[in-house]
Amino acid sequence: MNQLQRKILFPTPLYYKDIPNSKDLNKYLFKHIKKWRKDCPEGEAKTNSGFGWHSPTDMNNKKEYKPLIDELFKMAEECNKDYGVQPKLGLGNMWANINPTYSYNKTHTHPNSLWSGVYYIKVPKNSGKLFLEDPRPGPNTHMPRRVDNLPEQLWRVCAYEPKEGRIIFFPSWQPHGVDINMNTEKGEKNWRVSVSYNFIQI
Ligand SMILES: [Fe+2]
């Protein structure tokens, strides 16, 4: 033990999984979400930058989204198991996001929940990475600038390219946001479409 040893303590999990054959599911979901937006154009103002569309948050109570909800519950149980926790889970709320060109989501957390995450339905090129910030206050305020080429576990901000058909889960207290959508194709071609959700203990 006369060489430097390192343990990584208090890790923060980021879970992800791709739904097999998600193309048909995404087509189906996109069709329903577009109709929902038409019926309810005002949506809700949350962390989106003002000109994206954020649906009402009762998506979990709409039967047309059951195919996705079933996949989310499956994955939530897998996350519980991997993380070694056993709360009985319910979907607290769930909503759809349509982020057109230049929209983004500011850094935020999801209070009063256990697991939060996102499912990607439509992801044009350069439409914004998901970023997660180091949740610990210490390293953000007391560590000087670090050297380059550090391993991922030591990054202060981790950003990931979205992928259609991918489900992501993280603890709800994990600060996160979405980079600006820089895709400038015409009309709905530039839309970044996703679904977000909060699992709670019931
Ligand atoms: Fe979020």
Side-chain angles (χ1 to χ4, degrees):
M1 289 290 171
N2 53 5
Q3 275 180 344
L4 179 67
Q5 308 292 316
R6 183 177 70 193
K7 293 174 189 285
I8 297 285
L9 303 175
F10 316 120
T12 303
L14 171 69
Y15 294 113
Y16 59 98
K17 184 168 99 173
D18 296 334
I19 295 186
N21 309 316
S22 58
K23 256 204 158 104
D24 289 343
L25 174 66
N26 286 346
K27 226 168 133 182
Y28 166 88
L29 293 170
F30 186 42
K31 190 182 78 186
H32 282 282
I33 289 168
K34 265 207 293 194
K35 186 179 174 299
W36 195 7
R37 179 181 186 252
K38 222 173 162 184
D39 297 342
C40 181
E42 66 281 9
E44 287 193 20
K46 297 275 183 182
T47 61
N48 49 347
S49 49
F51 50 98
W53 183 73
H54 182 303
S55 79
T57 56
D58 61 346
M59 192 173 190
N60 46 317
N61 298 326
K62 294 183 177 291
K63 61 178 186 324
E64 59 269 34
Y65 299 111
K66 190 168 181 304
L68 176 60
I69 290 168
D70 288 349
E71 292 289 345
L72 297 180
F73 266 97
K74 237 191 283 173
M75 182 150 165
E77 290 303 334
E78 288 178 290
C79 294
N80 263 4
K81 198 166 171 221
D82 184 81
Y83 199 57
V85 293
Q86 298 178 308
K88 193 165 164 35
L89 292 176
L91 249 181
N93 55 9
M94 177 174 169
W95 61 97
N97 310 287
I98 298 180
N99 276 15
T101 307
Y102 302 141
S103 58
Y104 58 91
N105 292 77
K106 295 172 279 194
T107 304
H108 61 281
T109 58
H110 294 219
N112 304 319
S113 306
L114 294 178
W115 298 110
S116 298
V118 61
Y119 174 70
Y120 297 113
I121 294 173
K122 186 176 165 315
V123 178
K125 260 203 173 118
N126 302 320
S127 58
K129 289 180 183 173
L130 168 74
F131 64 85
L132 299 101
E133 296 182 358
D134 191 335
R136 303 162 304 165
N140 295 329
T141 54
H142 295 297
M143 293 291 270
R145 193 183 179 284
R146 299 173 200 176
V147 296
D148 294 334
N149 303 320
L150 282 173
E152 196 176 34
Q153 294 100 317
L154 298 178
W155 293 355
R156 206 192 75 72
V157 179
C158 299
Y160 301 101
E161 207 65 71
K163 183 170 183 270
E164 289 172 4
R166 177 161 290 180
I167 313 178
I168 291 186
F169 270 71
F170 46 79
S172 302
W173 45 259
Q174 168 64 55
H176 62 281
V178 182
D179 282 334
I180 190 162
N181 179 351
M182 293 303 287
N183 186 296
T184 54
E185 288 178 81
K186 284 228 162 71
E188 63 186 52
K189 276 193 175 169
N190 67 51
W191 291 2
R192 182 188 200 278
V193 183
S194 61
V195 173
S196 305
Y197 39 84
N198 291 316
F199 277 86
I200 55 170
Q201 181 161 18
I202 55 171

